[in-house]
Amino acid sequence: MPSDGRCWETLRALRNTSKGRLRYDREWLLRYEDVLEECMSLPKLSSYSGWVVDHILPNTSGHTQESAPSSDNSPSSGSASGLYQSSLLKSPVRSSPQSPSPSSPNGTQSTHESPFTEPIAPQSSRAIKVEGCIRMYELAHRMRGTEGLRQWQEEQERKVRALSEMASEQLKRFDELKELKLHKEFQDLQEVMEKSTREALGHQEKLKEEHRHRAKILNLKLREAEQQRVKQAEQEQLRKEEGQVRLRSLYSLQEEVLQLNQQLDASSQHKELLSVDLAAFQTRGNQLCGLISSIIRTTLESGYPTAENQAEAERALQEMRDLLSDLEQEITRASQVKKKHEEEAKVKRQESQVQQGPAPPTQTSAPSPSPVGAQNEDLQVKVQDSTMQWYQQLQDASAKCVLAFEDLTSSKDSQTKKIKMDLQKAATIPVSQISTIAGSKLKEIFDKIHSLLSGKPVQSGGRSVSVTLNPQGLDFVQYKLAEKFVKQGEEEVASHHEAAFPIAVVASGIWMLHPKVGDLILAHLHKKCPYSVPFYPAFKEGMALEDYQRMLGYQVTDSKVEQQDNFLKRMSGMIRLYAAIIQLQWPYGNRQEAHPHGLNHGWRWLAQVLNMEPLSDVTATLLFDFLEVCGNALMKQYQVQFWKMILLIKEDYFPRIEAITSSGQMGSFIRLKQFLEKCLQRREIPVPRGFLTTSFWRS
Amino acid sequence: MLRRDGRSCWPGRGRARARAQAQARNPLSLPLTGLSNLHLKEEKIKPDANGAVVKTNANTEKTEEDEKEDRAAQSLLNKLIRSNLVDNTNQVEVLQRDPSSPLYSVKSFEELRLKPQLLQGVYAMGFNRPSKIQENALPLMLAEPPQNLIAQSQSGTGKTAAFVLAVLSQVEPANKFAQCLCLSPTYELALQTGKVIEQMGKFYPELKLAYAVRGNKLERGQKVSEQIVIGTPGTVLDWCSKLKFIDPKKIKVFVLDEADVMIATQGHQDQSIRIQRMLPRNCQMLLFSATFEDSVWKFAQKVVPDPNIIKLKREEETLDTIKQYYVLCNNREEKFQALCNLYGAITIAQAMIFCHTRKTASWLAAELSKEGHQVALLSGEMMVEQRAAVIERFREGKEKVLVTTNVCARGIDVEQVSVVINFDLPVDKDGNPDNETYLHRIGRTGRFGKRGLAVNMVDSKHSMNILNRIQEHFNKKIERLDTDDLDEIEKIAN
C-alpha cells in the first residue's frame, strides 16, 4: 500500500514535467487521420494480456478503486499510457531472445481467459495495459540487472582468479629465485669449504710429506750424529789423554826452564868478579820462559796441547840448556882470562918490585881495582817476597775470620739458621742495589751497611736485623760483605765497566770506617784474581791440572775450563774495581784522613807488574783496564814520574808483550797500544767514563 | 518500484566491487609482501656479504700493517739496545756457489789480511775474535775477486761489522765519488748502520759517509763526493736516477740489510730491485735477513746473482750455558720472599723478572722498590722509543732490576743480566706452556759467552704441570731449588 501511494506521487510528478503539461490540440483530427485507426478498429488483446491477468489481476481491483478518483484527469493518463505503450513495444524486442520459452505457456493461458477480459471498459483495459507494461518492464529490468550483476561477478571472479594465478605464479618465481639464490650461495659456500678442505688436505699432505722427509733426514742425521758422537768421544778421549800427558809434560818443561833460569840468575852472581857483560844470556832466558808461558796459555785456550806445542817447548828447553852451557863456558873462559891477567900482573909486580924494592905494597893495590858491574836489567818471574808475605798475611786473616764464625754457619739450630740467613741477606742485598741512578740513593745504601756494621738494627725483608743477634754476627757480616763487593765486581763490572765507580766508592767508605772489611776485601780479591797482587801462580809437581787452573783464576766446571774471553772479562772486572777503590774516597766522610789503601798501591802494582815477564793476553788486558780506570788519578798525583813510567811501558815493555803475543790474541795488545799512544800524543790520560761527578752527588 | 529496483541493484553492485577489490588486493599484496621479503632478505644477505668483505679487507690490511710495523720496530729495538756481540751458539750452514773452491773459516782477524787501519778499527771496537757468523762470512766477503753473499743473521750478531769490513776493504779513499751502497728499510736502521761504519772507519780520516734519507737535501746538479752512501731505498733510487747525485756504474759493493723487513713494504722491494738493475755486473752484492721465508728467498735471488749462502740451522738456540731451576711457592708473597733469598745468596749483576700480567708486574715492582732495589717496569703498551729508553737505562745500570711482561722477552740483550726469573711461567691463550716464549725469556741470560741462571717459580699443581711439559719439550732437566737454604743456593752460582 505505501508503495502504491508513492507510484501515484510519481505520476503526479510526471504530470508536472514539461511533457506532462502538454495541451490538447483541436485541429489534430484534420492533420492526423491515421491516428484514430487503432481507436476506430476493434480492440485486440496483445500477447501480454494473459501474463497481465495472471500476475496483476488480483491487484487490479485496488488500482481500479484508485483510478476512479482520478477519472477527471483522463487526458493526462491517456498520454502517459501512450508513453508506456511505446516502451512496451520496444521492450519485447529487447527481451525477445529470452522470452520465447515463458511466452508460449502464457499465450495458452491467455486463450482460456479471453472471454473474461473483453467485457472490461477500454479505460480500465488501457490502465491494465500500462500497469502491465510497467511491471513487465520492472521485471525485465530487474532480470537484466541480475544478469548483469551475475556477469559482472563472473568477470570479477575470473579476474580474481587470473590475478590470483598470476600472483601465485609470481610467488613461485620469487620462491624459485630465492631458492636458486640460496642454493647458489650454499654451493659457493660448499665450494669454498671444499676448496679450503682441499687446500688444507693438500697442505696437510705437504706437511706430512715434508715431515716424513724431515724425519727421514733427521733419522739419518741422528744415526750419523750418534756415530760421529761415538767416534768423536773416542777421539776426544784419546786427545784428552794425550793432551793431559802433554800438558803435564809442558808444565814439567816449564818448571825445568824456570829452574834453569834461576841457575842463570845464580850464575850471574859471578859476573861481579868478571868484566864480561852477561845480560844477553839473562834476556834470552827470560824470553824462553815467556815463550813457554805463552805456549801454555795458548794450549789452555784451545783445549789441549798438540805435538807441535810440546816439540816447541822441548826445543825451548833444549835452547835453555844450551844457553846455560854456553854461559858456563863463557864464565870458564872469562875465569881463565882473568887468571892469565892476574899472572901477568903478578909478573909485572915482581919485576917492578925488583926495580923499586922499597915501595911494593902501594903499587900492588893500584893495578887491581874492582870493575863496576853492569846494571841488572833482567825481569823476574815472580813478585818480591815482601808482597808475597803481605798476600799470605791477608789470606791467614781471612781464614781466621771464617773460623771465628764457624759455629754460626755450621749450626743445626733452626733459630740460629734463621739469624744467619737474615744477616747474610742484610749484608749482601744492599751491595747488589748499588747503581748509578743517584748519589742520594748511594748514600742510603752506605748508611744502611754502616749501621749494620756498627751494631745498629736495620730493616731487611720486612724484619729488623742486627749483628748483636749472635756473638759471631759481626765477623760473619764483615766476611760476607767483603766477599760480596768482590763478587759484584767479578760479575757486574766485568760486563758493565762504569759500575765499578759506585761500588768502589761505597767499598772505600766502608773500608775507611771498618778497616777489617778492607783487609777481607783484599783477601777475597787476591784469592779470585791473583793478578791483583800481582802474583802469577806457578805449576807445582803433582798438582792436579784443574787445581792449577783454578789457582790461575779460571772457573772449571765438569772438567771444562771457561773460555779465554770470559776469563779475561772476569779478571778485568776485578782489576777495574780495585783500580777504582784505590783512587776514590767517600765524600761524606772525613776528607782529612788518608785513604786506607790509596794510590800508592796503584803505583806499587804497576811497578811490580812491569818488573815481571808479561803473560800472553793477560798482562795486556789488565794493564789496559788498570790504566784506563786510574791512569788519570796516577797522572795527577805522580806527574813526571808517571809519564816516565808510561814511556818505559811503550819503549821497553811493548816489545816484550808483542814477542809473546800470537795471532788471535792481538786485540788486547792493540787496544793497550792505541790507548797509550793516544795519551802520549795528547799528554793526558782522560777521566774514565762513568766517573762520579759532583752533579751525581747532588742528585 | 523503480527506486526499489535501483536500491536492490546498488548494494549488490557495491558489495561485488568491494569483494572484487578485496580479492584483487590479496594477490596484489601477496606479491608485494613476497617482493618485500625477498628484498629484505637480499638486503640482509648483501650487507652481510659486504660487511664481511669489508671486515675481511680491514683485517687483512690491519694485519699486514701490524706485521710490518712489528718487524721494523723489532729490528730497530735490537739495534738500539745491542752494542756488543751476541755469542750465537747456533750452527752455521754454508752453501757455496762454487762447491769445488776451498771452504775455510778464520779464527782471528789477522788471518783476513786487512788493511792496518781497518784492523785497528776492529780492535778499537772491542772485538777480540770473530763471532760465529763472522768466521764464515768474512772470508767470503773479503775474497778476491769479490763474492756475492746471502746470509741469515739476527740483528746484533756482528753481521753489520762484517759487511762494514767488506765495504771498507773495497773503498778507495782517494776517489771522491760514491763507491759503496747500503740499503736499510728504515731511516732509524740506516742511522744505526752508519754509526758502525763511522766507528769501524775511525782510523781512516779521509773516508766520508753520506746518508741518503728523507730530510737530507742536496743541491741539484751536485755529485756525492762521499765514498760510502747508506740510506733507504726510495731516497737512494732518487739519488741514482732522478737527481743523479750518484753514478750507479761506479758502485763496487751493494749491501741490502734487513731484507725481511724490506720486503714487508712493496715499494721498497721494487725500488731495491730497480737500484740493483742499475749497478755494474761485477759489483759485489751482499744481502742479510733475519728470516728466510719463501718471499724473502725470491726477493734475494732476484737481487743477488750467483750467491754464496750462509744459513742458520733450524735448531733453536741451545740452552747449555743456562742453568735452570724451579722453586716451590704457594702465593705471590712467598714468591717474593724466595726472590729476596736468591738475592741474598747469589751475586746478581742485573736481573730480569717476567710476570704474566701488568697487575702482577706493577705489584712486584712496588715491593722491590720498597726493599731498596732500583726497578724498571716494561710493558707492551709502550711505544718503541719508550721501550728503548727503559732498556737503555737498564743497560746503563741506573736500574738494576727489569720487571716486564711477556711481550718484551724477545730482543733484549743486556750483557750484565745474570739472572732471569719467571715469576709466572709463560703460557699461551689456551693455558698451554709457551715453549718459544720460555726459550726467549731464559735466553736473556747466558749471553755473550757467560753462564746464565734461570729460576722458575711454581705456585700450584697447574704450574708444576706446565713446568714438566716445558722440561719434556726441551729435554732438559730443571732442578728444584730450596730457597730457604742459602748455602745450597750459593753452590749453584759457583
Side-chain angles (χ1 to χ4, degrees):
Chain A
M1 294 304 290
S3 60
D4 290 343
R6 290 177 184 174
C7 286
W8 285 112
E9 287 176 1
T10 304
L11 286 173
R12 222 179 275 114
L14 285 170
R15 201 186 305 121
N16 289 332
T17 61
S18 59
K19 293 182 179 178
R21 288 193 283 269
L22 288 174
R23 290 177 184 177
Y24 183 75
D25 188 2
R26 295 178 181 206
E27 304 297 330
W28 70 273
L29 192 57
L30 296 177
R31 297 181 203 152
Y32 307 99
E33 292 181 356
D34 56 344
V35 172
L36 295 176
E37 286 184 3
E38 292 184 356
C39 292
M40 295 172 66
S41 66
L42 289 173
K44 294 179 179 177
L45 290 174
S46 71
S47 58
Y48 302 106
S49 299
W51 186 83
V52 168
V53 169
D54 284 340
H55 288 85
I56 302 177
L57 196 57
N59 297 326
T60 306
S61 62
H63 287 291
T64 306
Q65 290 175 357
E66 290 182 359
S67 66
S70 65
S71 60
D72 297 338
N73 300 325
S74 61
S76 305
S77 67
S79 63
S81 65
L83 287 173
Y84 283 122
Q85 190 171 1
S86 170
S87 299
L88 192 60
L89 287 171
K90 291 179 181 178
S91 67
V93 174
R94 291 178 183 175
S95 62
S96 62
Q98 304 178 3
S99 62
S101 55
S103 160
S104 173
N106 289 338
T108 306
Q109 291 176 359
S110 68
T111 307
H112 290 293
E113 295 173 358
S114 61
F116 294 95
T117 307
E118 287 182 359
I120 298 171
Q123 188 174 1
S124 69
S125 170
R126 284 179 70 188
I128 290 169
K129 192 184 279 186
V130 167
E131 197 71 20
C133 287
I134 288 171
R135 290 182 186 279
M136 286 178 70
Y137 178 78
E138 282 182 356
L139 283 173
H141 191 71
R142 191 178 296 112
M143 287 177 67
R144 207 178 318 117
T146 304
E147 193 69 18
L149 179 61
R150 184 162 48 79
Q151 285 178 10
W152 187 80
Q153 276 183 350
E154 282 178 4
E155 187 177 344
Q156 289 301 313
E157 280 178 4
R158 216 178 315 110
K159 276 187 182 179
V160 163
R161 212 174 303 112
L163 280 176
S164 180
E165 283 178 2
M166 194 188 295
S168 176
E169 200 69 19
Q170 202 168 3
L171 187 58
K172 277 184 190 175
R173 297 285 88 74
F174 275 122
D175 281 341
E176 282 178 5
L177 199 61
K178 191 171 71 175
E179 191 173 341
L180 183 64
K181 191 166 292 188
L182 283 178
H183 184 65
K184 194 176 179 183
E185 281 178 4
F186 178 72
Q187 262 188 346
D188 284 350
L189 186 62
Q190 202 168 14
E191 201 174 63
V192 168
M193 287 181 68
E194 202 173 280
K195 191 179 178 184
S196 297
T197 303
R198 221 178 301 121
E199 282 184 357
L201 284 175
H203 192 59
Q204 198 172 358
E205 281 295 323
K206 199 186 293 182
L207 284 180
K208 279 183 180 177
E209 188 64 28
E210 188 176 337
H211 179 71
R212 215 174 295 124
H213 179 65
R214 196 178 299 275
K216 194 188 295 182
I217 291 176
L218 285 179
N219 277 332
L220 289 175
K221 282 188 178 179
L222 198 61
R223 215 173 298 137
E224 192 179 6
E226 185 63 25
Q227 290 175 2
Q228 274 189 0
R229 193 191 63 77
V230 171
K231 197 182 298 182
Q232 276 186 359
E234 290 173 357
Q235 287 182 358
E236 189 66 27
Q237 188 65 24
L238 287 177
R239 200 181 309 124
K240 192 173 178 181
E241 288 170 359
E242 287 180 8
Q244 280 182 346
V245 168
R246 289 205 192 97
L247 200 51
R248 290 203 177 88
S249 177
L250 278 176
Y251 285 128
S252 300
L253 289 172
Q254 187 188 29
E255 187 184 359
E256 198 170 347
V257 165
L258 289 174
Q259 286 174 1
L260 290 174
N261 197 55
Q262 286 175 6
Q263 287 186 34
L264 278 177
D265 291 342
S267 300
S268 69
Q269 293 174 7
H270 294 289
K271 68 183 176 183
E272 294 181 2
L273 307 176
L274 305 174
S275 61
V276 182
D277 185 1
L278 302 174
F281 289 94
Q282 284 134 13
T283 301
R284 185 56 186 157
N286 287 324
Q287 282 180 3
L288 289 171
C289 291
L291 181 60
I292 296 275
S293 299
S294 167
I295 291 168
I296 290 174
R297 295 286 164 274
T298 305
T299 56
L300 286 176
E301 178 198 340
S302 62
Y304 286 104
T306 60
E308 288 179 7
N309 295 136
Q310 186 166 3
E312 194 177 352
E314 283 171 349
R315 280 197 299 274
L317 176 61
Q318 188 58 41
E319 191 175 346
M320 179 67 91
R321 289 194 181 122
D322 294 344
L323 192 65
L324 191 60
S325 176
D326 290 346
L327 179 64
E328 286 173 353
Q329 288 178 10
E330 189 72 14
I331 289 172
T332 303
R333 188 176 59 79
S335 296
Q336 288 175 356
V337 167
K338 183 184 177 184
K339 192 174 180 181
K340 186 177 177 183
H341 285 317
E342 284 178 349
E343 287 178 354
E344 288 177 352
K346 190 176 179 181
V347 168
K348 285 183 179 179
R349 209 177 316 109
Q350 285 176 358
E351 289 177 354
S352 84
Q353 193 172 6
V354 168
Q355 291 176 4
Q356 299 180 8
T362 306
Q363 289 179 0
T364 303
S365 64
S368 63
S370 302
V372 178
Q375 279 187 347
N376 182 357
E377 291 185 2
D378 67 335
L379 296 184
Q380 304 159 19
V381 292
K382 68 174 185 177
V383 76
Q384 59 194 5
D385 290 340
S386 60
T387 303
M388 292 308 298
Q389 286 167 17
W390 171 60
Y391 163 80
Q392 197 58 50
Q393 282 167 18
L394 290 170
Q395 295 302 312
D396 292 343
S398 177
K400 196 184 300 180
C401 189
V402 172
L403 283 178
F405 60 76
E406 188 178 10
D407 291 345
L408 178 58
T409 54
S410 61
S411 174
K412 299 301 178 184
D413 178 41
S414 61
Q415 185 64 21
T416 308
K417 269 190 173 182
K418 197 173 171 68
I419 291 171
K420 177 201 157 194
M421 186 181 291
D422 286 341
L423 287 174
Q424 178 161 342
K425 287 197 277 185
T428 58
I429 290 181
V431 179
S432 65
Q433 293 170 350
I434 292 171
S435 81
T436 57
I437 191 165
S440 56
K441 284 284 185 180
L442 213 56
K443 189 170 188 305
E444 282 177 26
I445 291 167
F446 175 87
D447 288 341
K448 196 172 183 181
I449 297 173
H450 177 47
S451 295
L452 182 65
L453 292 172
S454 303
K456 298 173 186 173
V458 299
Q459 291 296 116
S460 176
R463 273 199 293 273
S464 182
V465 183
S466 169
V467 293
T468 59
L469 292 171
N470 186 280
Q472 305 172 356
L474 184 58
D475 283 326
F476 179 72
V477 163
Q478 285 173 341
Y479 184 88
K480 285 296 177 183
L481 175 64
E483 184 184 43
K484 190 65 164 186
F485 277 122
V486 175
K487 279 187 171 181
Q488 204 74 25
E490 176 191 13
E491 184 76 27
E492 185 173 355
V493 179
S495 43
H496 184 222
H497 295 164
E498 297 164 24
F501 298 102
I503 298 171
V505 75
V506 173
S508 179
I510 295 296
W511 195 325
M512 176 83 67
L513 298 176
H514 307 276
K516 187 174 176 182
V517 175
D519 288 345
L520 288 167
I521 287 173
L522 283 176
H524 284 290
L525 183 67
H526 293 171
K527 184 83 174 173
K528 278 180 166 289
C529 177
Y531 315 101
S532 64
V533 179
F535 161 51
Y536 299 163
F539 182 79
K540 293 171 184 171
E541 195 68 36
M543 179 185 278
L545 178 60
E546 293 178 7
D547 290 339
Y548 178 61
Q549 286 165 341
R550 286 199 182 93
M551 272 189 66
L552 291 173
Y554 287 91
Q555 284 176 343
V556 185
T557 313
D558 302 328
S559 302
K560 283 186 180 178
V561 189
E562 71 180 318
Q563 293 175 18
Q564 181 74 356
D565 276 352
N566 208 52
F567 164 75
L568 289 175
K569 270 181 179 173
R570 289 194 303 105
M571 298 300 119
S572 285
M574 288 184 273
I575 285 292
R576 279 177 176 265
L577 179 62
Y578 183 61
I581 288 175
I582 63 180
Q583 66 170 298
L584 289 177
Q585 207 155 353
W586 182 247
Y588 299 106
N590 185 357
R591 283 191 163 276
Q592 301 307 316
E593 281 188 40
H595 194 302
H597 196 81
L599 270 177
N600 55 311
H601 279 275
W603 183 268
R604 171 192 64 78
W605 185 88
L606 201 52
Q608 287 177 343
V609 165
L610 297 179
N611 215 25
M612 293 195 292
E613 202 67 45
L615 296 177
S616 179
D617 225 356
V618 172
T619 302
T621 299
L622 300 187
L623 265 179
F624 174 64
D625 290 317
F626 192 84
L627 289 172
E628 195 179 45
V629 173
C630 74
N632 179 267
L634 286 170
M635 174 187 72
K636 287 173 178 171
Q637 176 142 322
Y638 293 99
Q639 296 172 20
V640 177
Q641 292 301 316
F642 175 75
W643 285 114
K644 285 183 179 177
M645 180 84 88
I646 295 298
L647 283 172
L648 175 68
I649 294 173
K650 179 172 184 294
E651 291 170 1
D652 292 338
Y653 211 62
F654 276 1
R656 294 176 187 277
I657 298 177
E658 198 154 15
I660 62 167
T661 302
S662 62
S663 173
Q665 295 174 327
M666 276 291 174
S668 52
F669 172 62
I670 286 184
R671 279 193 290 277
L672 172 61
K673 196 175 178 185
Q674 283 174 358
F675 178 73
L676 281 196
E677 284 175 348
K678 186 196 283 186
C679 294
L680 283 167
Q681 195 179 44
R682 297 182 182 177
R683 298 182 182 279
E684 188 191 32
I685 294 191
V687 174
R689 191 152 40 101
F691 194 79
L692 306 176
T693 59
T694 51
S695 64
F696 171 82
W697 292 111
R698 273 191 250 105
S699 60
Chain B
M1 293 302 292
L2 194 61
R3 277 189 179 180
R4 185 169 60 181
D5 283 345
R7 260 185 270 112
S8 69
C9 287
W10 283 350
R13 199 177 286 175
R15 288 174 193 166
R17 284 180 182 173
R19 202 177 307 124
Q21 286 175 5
Q23 288 179 1
R25 280 173 190 168
N26 286 339
L28 285 177
S29 63
L30 280 175
L32 285 176
T33 305
L35 278 171
S36 176
N37 287 339
L38 289 174
H39 185 61
L40 284 174
K41 286 181 180 177
E42 283 180 7
E43 284 179 357
K44 284 178 183 176
I45 290 164
K46 282 184 179 178
D48 286 347
N50 288 336
V53 170
V54 169
K55 285 177 182 177
T56 303
N57 290 334
N59 287 336
T60 305
E61 289 169 6
K62 188 181 178 184
T63 303
E64 285 175 357
E65 285 179 2
D66 282 358
E67 186 180 340
K68 175 195 166 187
E69 190 173 318
D70 286 353
R71 286 199 194 198
Q74 189 62 57
S75 272
L76 178 60
L77 196 63
N78 287 356
K79 281 189 181 294
L80 283 173
I81 65 181
R82 288 182 182 174
S83 62
N84 290 310
L85 274 184
V86 176
D87 187 5
N88 200 329
T89 56
N90 292 10
Q91 294 299 311
V92 169
E93 184 181 354
V94 181
L95 307 176
Q96 289 180 278
R97 178 202 58 179
D98 182 6
S100 62
S101 70
L103 172 67
Y104 65 103
S105 62
V106 293
K107 293 298 180 183
S108 69
F109 289 111
E110 282 81 8
E111 296 174 48
L112 296 167
R113 307 196 197 290
L114 300 167
K115 296 170 185 173
Q117 301 97 319
L118 274 184
L119 195 60
Q120 286 200 336
V122 170
Y123 285 137
M125 288 180 73
F127 297 142
N128 278 338
R129 276 157 276 276
S131 68
K132 182 70 71 172
I133 189 77
Q134 289 172 345
E135 272 183 20
N136 297 274
L138 284 172
L140 288 170
M141 290 185 194
L142 298 169
E144 198 66 41
Q147 304 269 317
N148 292 343
L149 178 70
I150 293 173
Q152 179 183 9
S153 180
Q154 298 284 338
S155 301
T157 56
K159 70 175 163 64
T160 306
F163 76 69
V164 167
L165 266 183
V167 162
L168 296 180
S169 295
Q170 295 276 6
V171 166
E172 185 53 53
N175 294 334
K176 302 300 180 187
F177 53 82
Q179 300 161 54
C180 297
L181 268 187
C182 295
L183 294 189
S184 286
T186 66
Y187 167 81
E188 293 83 6
L189 290 169
L191 290 192
Q192 286 294 316
T193 303
K195 280 186 190 176
V196 177
I197 295 176
E198 285 165 356
Q199 269 183 299
M200 189 79 70
K202 195 166 69 175
F203 297 91
Y204 259 126
E206 62 271 25
L207 201 66
K208 295 293 187 287
L209 171 64
Y211 288 92
V213 293
R214 67 172 187 272
N216 189 12
K217 300 298 181 185
L218 299 189
E219 293 290 336
R220 286 239 174 193
Q222 190 174 326
K223 290 289 184 181
V224 168
S225 61
E226 288 88 349
Q227 295 90 350
I228 302 170
V229 176
I230 180 167
T232 48
T235 309
V236 170
L237 181 59
D238 284 348
W239 283 28
C240 287
S241 59
K242 190 194 297 181
L243 303 173
K244 300 211 183 291
F245 295 149
I246 298 168
D247 183 358
K249 293 306 172 188
K250 293 180 175 175
I251 301 295
K252 292 194 281 185
V253 185
F254 178 61
V255 182
L256 209 152
D257 197 11
E258 310 284 355
D260 52 330
V261 181
M262 194 82 76
I263 66 165
T265 308
Q266 181 66 28
H268 279 20
Q269 186 172 351
D270 294 339
Q271 287 157 357
S272 303
I273 293 172
R274 286 169 65 188
I275 293 168
Q276 189 268 343
R277 298 261 191 271
M278 297 178 179
L279 303 175
R281 191 166 297 275
N282 59 351
C283 176
Q284 182 183 24
M285 298 189 183
L286 312 171
L287 184 143
F288 298 92
S289 177
T291 64
F292 273 111
E293 298 116 10
D294 289 342
S295 49
V296 182
W297 267 116
K298 287 175 186 171
F299 176 66
Q301 283 162 358
K302 279 186 191 173
V303 171
V304 184
D306 293 330
N308 294 276
I309 297 162
I310 293 182
K311 239 178 152 182
L312 297 176
K313 288 188 175 169
R314 290 192 176 269
E315 304 137 28
E316 293 283 358
E317 292 175 18
T318 58
L319 307 177
D320 293 340
T321 58
I322 301 165
K323 295 179 183 177
Q324 298 172 65
Y325 296 92
Y326 74 91
V327 175
L328 287 178
C329 311
N330 288 314
N331 49 50
R332 68 180 188 181
E333 281 75 21
E334 281 193 17
K335 286 181 174 180
F336 180 73
Q337 194 57 43
L339 185 57
C340 290
N341 290 2
L342 283 172
Y343 263 92
I346 59 183
T347 303
I348 299 177
Q350 284 175 242
M352 285 180 73
I353 306 176
F354 291 96
C355 301
H356 190 58
T357 63
R358 279 182 231 148
K359 187 181 174 186
T360 305
S362 296
W363 172 83
L364 183 59
E367 291 292 312
L368 286 168
S369 293
K370 219 181 292 178
E371 282 294 312
H373 292 279
Q374 325 301 335
V375 188
L377 182 56
L378 192 66
S379 53
E381 74 274 7
M382 287 174 159
M383 304 289 289
V384 175
E385 291 78 12
Q386 285 175 313
R387 274 192 256 163
V390 169
I391 293 166
E392 188 63 27
R393 282 178 63 86
F394 179 63
R395 186 142 59 86
E396 287 169 1
K398 289 185 159 52
E399 275 91 34
K400 304 285 284 290
V401 186
L402 181 64
V403 180
T404 183
T405 50
N406 258 357
V407 294
C408 305
R410 183 189 295 260
I412 301 175
D413 275 319
V414 175
E415 186 177 346
Q416 54 263 38
V417 172
S418 47
V419 174
V420 166
I421 293 169
N422 281 318
F423 201 81
D424 297 311
L425 294 178
V427 291
D428 58 20
K429 290 178 292 181
D430 305 318
N432 295 313
D434 190 341
N435 296 313
E436 188 170 347
T437 298
Y438 180 83
L439 177 66
H440 282 291
R441 280 184 175 186
I442 70 174
R444 299 315 95 202
T445 185
R447 314 289 285 182
F448 310 96
K450 292 175 60 182
R451 298 178 310 163
L453 177 65
V455 178
N456 301 286
M457 297 198 165
V458 175
D459 58 2
S460 62
K461 287 184 180 178
H462 180 59
S463 303
M464 194 64 220
N465 183 35
I466 290 175
L467 190 78
N468 286 331
R469 287 160 73 180
I470 289 174
Q471 278 187 89
E472 286 170 22
H473 177 84
F474 292 108
N475 195 24
K476 178 87 173 177
K477 179 70 175 172
I478 302 179
E479 304 282 345
R480 183 183 167 202
L481 197 61
D482 182 8
T483 49
D484 289 331
D485 190 349
L486 296 196
D487 293 333
E488 184 192 324
I489 301 175
E490 280 190 68
K491 286 174 189 170
I492 69 170
N494 292 327

